Every structure is written in structure tokens, then in C-alpha cells.
Amino acid sequence: MSYISDKILYTVEKPARYTGGELNSVVKDKSKVSVRIAFCYPDIYDIGMSYPGMKILYRLLNSIDDIWCERVFAPWTDLEKIMREQGLKLFALESQEEIRNFDIVMFTMQYEMGYTNILNMLELAGIPVKAKDRGDDYPLILGGGPSTLNPEPMSGFFDLFNLGEGEEMLPEIMEVFKSVKKKKGGKKEFLREAAKIEGVYVPSFYDVEYNEDGTIKRFGPKEEFKDVAKPRIRKRIVRDLNKMFAPDKINVAFVPPVHDRIMLEIFRGCIRGCRFCQAGFIYRPVREKNPDVLMQNACELVKNTGYDEISLLSLSTSDYTMLPELTERLIDEFEPRKISLSLPSLRVDSFSMDLMDRVSSLRKSGITFAPEAGTQRMRDIINKGITEEDILHSAELAFNSGRNNIKLYFMLGLPEETDEDLLGIPALAKKVLGIYDRIHAGKKARRPEITVSVSTFVPKPHTPFQWREQISKEEILRRQTLIKTALDRRISFSWHDAETSVLEAAMSRGDRRTGDVIYSAWKMGQTFDAWQEHMNFDNWKKAYAENGLDMSFYNERKRNYDEILPWDVVDICVTKEFLQREDEKATRGELTPNCREKCSHCGAVKYRGGLCVDKIQDKIR
């Protein structure tokens, strides 16, 4: 029976978001488990069900006999209104039971714009939002995901964070929890024991002191917790992906999610080192999976789900060293069974174009290129590692293959950027359009569909640009207009909301005081800030002012290299010295070779036991 009555479900959009019962859902006898976990995604079902990490960790935790992990998603505004009116509490899909009665409530933190949803979900569950207000009668609140690598803005709401990859760390945390629970120990006893696990951060064990100018003066463990709280928390990584847990089943959604297919993770990390890209640094070092392991996993998932599409998952598919072998085997196995293969994140060259033509799922669909910047000077500053010749050659290959739809992805507001660099964006797009016109001159051809998409640079923690300033909202709008005005009329233009970019930058580089801002904004009614129609920038400005803070302090201020940063408590296995060298090289416009060409001594290699990426292929074979 559903926790929400049929009468209510008939009145809301997409009621299947709330019923549970999908193929491959895990239902256990709650009287036979020791730990009940509510795994929460702070957005709606349609988005959360696309997240690969939730599929892996849900299956992993449920593979342990005495643990039952259930899924929870943020109810859309229509159901939330009814829940508040009728006093209904947030519930888990599998059991349809209120999550305030669970042992652990676990949130994945993928994006800063989801922070107010976390507070809202806790309050909807009947759980005090602030950690200091929760005694032993309430569940432990655990956070994980990429945004936790600056955990400080949300530190006042969580009991603990698992920093890094959770496949090995989460079972260790659960074992400690079971041990403490068996001894009838309290929350503080558990947190002391959990803090000893590599990758676990307990924010209440730390103190922060500020200078008069608002910068951090001192940050470190409180005296009473120095025996368990480390000065820095090293993120966890799974060293051997071939031995890592991989699900043989995944839940098949009732409401089609954004990405409704099998996602086959082929490797983690990235060799490229683009200086703006947080993912490229926080997921180091590069680790690949063996094609044999991937083939076995793909066959099991197809058999157990009925999906007819497989997508390869990585930060840069082209950099997987065994891509030709893997794709040949996947095509040979699945093409006769009418199961298609999609290949995102490919660098467009002769090999990949030939491969894309063989892959049935693409059917001459459009291709996205990411030059990131309009001039070579800027591409060198950000260490993109491609030339204009590469971009134009790729466009020519795409057009010659029969495609007419190309999307060009750029950023504005990058460090050292000038108006001349910005005008390079429409100039490059015009050259791409010219190639199409030349190839189809005198022929009957479809109208070219070329789109320029521009997002705003956000200086993220743990990147070489973490010390850089972001341009103001007014300057973002000016630069967007400059590009739009200069574009050929046959080229479409899309851009990212300036206010969202400004807030994202302020939140991503926030400190503990930012938590008070998030709380204030939520109390003003802010939720679903990732949805433009719900994001109210004026409320956020009021929330900063209400707490005596200035948003520009966090997003528009350039930092000194010796400043203590809020996220310095986290060791991502890439040294701060390396990031500083990369920032200095950016100022000089110097390139850094990718990891396969030459090791740049970022620090990550020592966490693979001294194994450099050029030897990974031999190792995993």
C-alpha cells in the first residue's frame, strides 16, 4: 500500500514518482535487518534515477544481508503542498515508511543548487535541520558526492561526510555503526569511531576562527577530538576498478528519467588537466576497467533490465586505452540483438567518426564539440589541449558524414579573458558554418543547425583556478550580449543564467558561515534552486545580508596563495603546490602535457602505489 493515498496520487503530476515497486527494487523484511538507510537524492525522481552513483551504492548496500537501503527523492511542489497541509512526512519508496524512523539518512550532494532541497527534505521528514538540534533519537545524517569536497557550507546540517568514492568506505562506516549500535552506544560514540576511517569527516569535531577581514585565521580539530580527528581528511579512492562492486541489476524507472539507459562506467579520472574542470582533478588518478569485466557487466544488466541502449560512462571516452577493442566487442554482441550503443565524450577524429557511423543509436544525430574558448590564446590558458585546426577538421568530418547538427560549447568569464577572445567565439562558429556551406555548395542539403552554447566560468575548489575571481553579474550579461550581437543569424545561441552562475560560485567557495545563508534562504521559501523558475536571486541576496555577509566576498574576490581556504581540510590526492603551478602557467599561457605524454607530478600517482597512467593498460590486462 502506498503511503500517499490513491486519491492524492490522482491529483499530482507523475504519481509513479512516489509509488515504488519498480523492476529490481529491493524489498527486505525489516525485522531481519540491523541498519535501515534512506538514500536521498535532493531533486525529483526523474533526475535522481539518472544518477549512476545511486544505482551502484543502492545495490552495494543492499547486497549486505542485514542492511536495507531505500530510495528517497524530493517531492515536486504539488505533492509537497499536500503533504504539508495534511501533516504527511517524507517517506522511502520501497517500504513507503517515514524516514525519520530509519537509522541513517544519506544524501548525495551533486550540485550546490540542491542544498536548500536537502534542508527541505529533512524538515519534511520531521527531522531537525541543524545537526546541533538532533539528539540520539533522530537518524544520523550522512553526506557524500562531489560537492562534499568543500563540505563547509553544509557542515552545520550533517553529522558526517564520506569524502571521495564510497564503494569501499560506506560498508566500513556501516560496520562501525552496527558495532556501536550493538553496544547501545550513542551518536557521539559512533562519530568518534567513524572519524578513524579514512575519508570520513565529522564537522562538529572542528573549530574555525576568522580574521577581521573575513578570511580564515585558523581551522583544525577541537582539543577534545584531536585523538580521532585528523588535520586533513584524505578522500577515498577505489584503487582497482576491476575488483570494485558493480551492480548486475538496476531499478527500471516507472517515470522515464533524464538518462534512461544502461550506463557502463569504463574508467574514472581524466588525463587532460583542463584548469577550470573540477571533475578532472577530484577524480584523479585515472583508473580503467578491463573489457572482459565490462562485457560481463553489460550482459548481466541487459538480461536483468530489458534496456535496449548502453551508454559508455567516463569524463573522456576517447581516452580509454582499449576503446577500439571494447566497442568492437559491444557492437558484435549487442547489435544483432537490436541493442544500441551511445558514445558520449568522444573527441571527433577519423576513428571516432567511423565508430559513430557504426553505432545504431546515433542515427546521424548531432555532435557536440567543446572548444571552451574562442581563441587559441584562451585555450592555452585553460590548458584545453586542442587547436582551431582540430576543431575545424572535426567539423568537416562530421559534415562529410552526413550530419548537419553541431553544438559548440564555450565558457565566458575565464581568467585573462578579453573582448577579443570573446569575439573569437562567433568568429569560430562562422568558420564552422562556412565549412558546411563549402561541402554542400551547389547541392540540395538540409539547413545547417549550428548552436553556440555559452556557460559562465565558476572558479571551483580543488582546481588551479580556485584562487581566481568570478566576473560580476553585470559583466556576465555584457559579455553574453557581445557574443550574441556578433553571431551570424543562421547560428542559434543559448546561454546559462547569470544569477545562477553567480550564486553557484559563491556557494561552491563558501565557508561555515554560508550555512547560515542557506538556512535563511530556505526559510524564505527557496527550494529547487537548480530550476530557473524557482531560483529567486533577490531572496539569496537578502539571505547573505541577513547574516552580515557579502556574496561578492566569495565569488568576486581573488585569493592569495597563502590564504587558508575552507576546503583545505580535504586532501583530494592532488597537491596545492601543483594547483598553484598550474595557475601560474595559465597566466603565462603555458600548456601542461596530458598525463600519458608526461607525468606532471600532481601528487595523485602515489595513491596508485606508484603506478603511472602509461602502465595502467598493462596492469589491468
Side-chain angles (χ1 to χ4, degrees), residues 368-531:
T368 298
F369 300 146
E372 310 290 1
T375 63
Q376 195 58 46
R377 186 186 83 89
M378 281 306 307
R379 285 190 288 273
D380 290 348
I381 285 171
I382 63 177
N383 203 47
K384 181 63 182 175
I386 60 171
T387 65
E388 183 173 295
E389 184 181 354
D390 296 329
I391 299 161
L392 297 180
H393 178 63
S394 296
E396 186 164 8
L397 286 172
F399 291 142
N400 276 323
S401 73
R403 290 166 174 82
N404 72 317
N405 185 335
I406 285 182
K407 185 174 183 179
L408 299 167
Y409 178 83
F410 297 92
M411 302 181 76
L412 65 75
L414 288 161
E416 317 290 338
E417 182 180 80
T418 66
D419 282 359
E420 183 179 350
D421 297 312
L422 288 168
L423 290 171
I425 293 173
L428 180 57
K430 188 173 182 179
K431 290 178 182 178
V432 170
L433 180 60
I435 292 173
Y436 184 89
D437 290 340
R438 172 173 56 79
I439 289 172
H440 296 286
K443 304 175 187 175
K444 186 177 180 180
R446 290 174 294 171
R447 184 177 180 273
E449 297 179 20
I450 297 172
T451 300
V452 167
S453 178
V454 176
S455 67
T456 300
F457 165 67
V458 174
K460 288 282 189 172
H462 304 296
T463 68
F465 291 154
Q466 66 181 356
W467 294 280
R468 299 286 186 140
E469 69 275 26
Q470 186 188 49
I471 60 176
S472 68
K473 172 189 165 183
E474 293 71 25
E475 182 62 12
I476 293 171
L477 295 172
R478 186 193 74 81
R479 296 190 192 193
Q480 288 174 345
T481 302
L482 181 67
I483 295 169
K484 183 179 181 180
T485 304
L487 276 172
D488 187 290
R489 290 183 179 181
R490 289 191 291 164
I491 297 171
S492 301
F493 183 50
S494 65
W495 60 93
H496 195 257
D497 176 60
E499 293 177 342
T500 302
S501 297
V502 167
L503 180 59
E504 180 186 346
M507 299 268 278
S508 68
R509 296 201 293 182
D511 51 38
R512 288 199 171 189
R513 297 170 298 185
T514 303
D516 295 329
V517 176
I518 296 166
Y519 183 82
S520 293
W522 168 67
K523 293 295 283 185
M524 293 176 194
Q526 286 308 121
T527 57
F528 289 105
D529 292 292
W531 299 67

Side-chain angles (χ1 to χ4, degrees), residues 192-256:
R192 288 188 67 90
E193 292 302 310
K196 299 174 185 177
I197 299 171
E198 184 178 55
V200 170
Y201 174 52
V202 181
S204 62
F205 289 2
Y206 294 76
D207 259 338
V208 60
E209 185 180 347
Y210 298 94
N211 295 306
E212 288 186 7
D213 64 359
T215 58
I216 295 174
K217 180 178 182 179
R218 186 191 64 81
F219 185 95
K222 297 176 181 177
E223 192 64 37
E224 62 185 297
F225 300 115
K226 283 187 175 179
D227 58 326
V228 292
K230 311 172 190 71
R232 295 190 77 205
I233 312 298
R234 181 185 298 169
K235 75 169 187 184
R236 283 290 287 273
I237 65 165
V238 177
R239 284 171 165 75
D240 188 347
L241 297 193
N242 293 312
K243 297 178 181 177
M244 180 186 76
F245 177 87
D248 59 356
K249 297 178 182 178
I250 55 175
N251 292 16
V252 180
F254 281 153
V255 177

Side-chain angles (χ1 to χ4, degrees), residues 136 140 177 180-181 183-192:
D136 288 349
L140 280 156
F177 180 83
V180 173
K181 184 180 180 181
K183 294 185 291 187
K184 301 190 183 304
K187 187 175 291 186
K188 183 166 283 189
E189 183 180 348
F190 163 74
L191 292 174
R192 288 188 67 90

Side-chain angles (χ1 to χ4, degrees), residues 250-279:
I250 55 175
N251 292 16
V252 180
F254 281 153
V255 177
V258 177
H259 302 295
D260 194 20
R261 60 183 74 99
I262 291 168
M263 285 180 272
L264 200 63
E265 185 182 28
I266 57 176
F267 74 98
R268 288 185 185 173
C270 184
I271 67 171
R272 296 290 162 183
C274 299
R275 292 173 179 136
F276 60 86
C277 179
Q278 186 183 51

Side-chain angles (χ1 to χ4, degrees), residues 65-129:
D65 289 339
D66 59 348
I67 292 177
W68 187 9
C69 177
E70 304 182 48
R71 295 162 299 138
V72 185
F73 301 96
W76 188 235
T77 52
D78 53 359
L79 180 59
E80 180 187 339
K81 182 174 182 292
I82 296 170
M83 291 175 69
R84 291 190 181 280
E85 288 172 350
Q86 299 192 14
L88 300 172
K89 300 302 180 185
L90 191 64
F91 59 96
L93 292 190
E94 281 74 8
S95 67
Q96 296 283 305
E97 293 183 11
E98 298 175 0
I99 68 171
R100 64 179 174 182
N101 299 321
F102 284 39
D103 296 295
I104 297 173
V105 174
M106 185 168 75
F107 284 91
T108 179
M109 297 164 60
Q110 296 293 308
Y111 180 41
E112 294 83 1
M113 296 299 99
Y115 287 171
T116 52
N117 273 16
I118 293 174
L119 273 57
N120 203 50
M121 291 173 75
L122 287 172
E123 197 256 353
L124 273 173
I127 298 171
V129 166

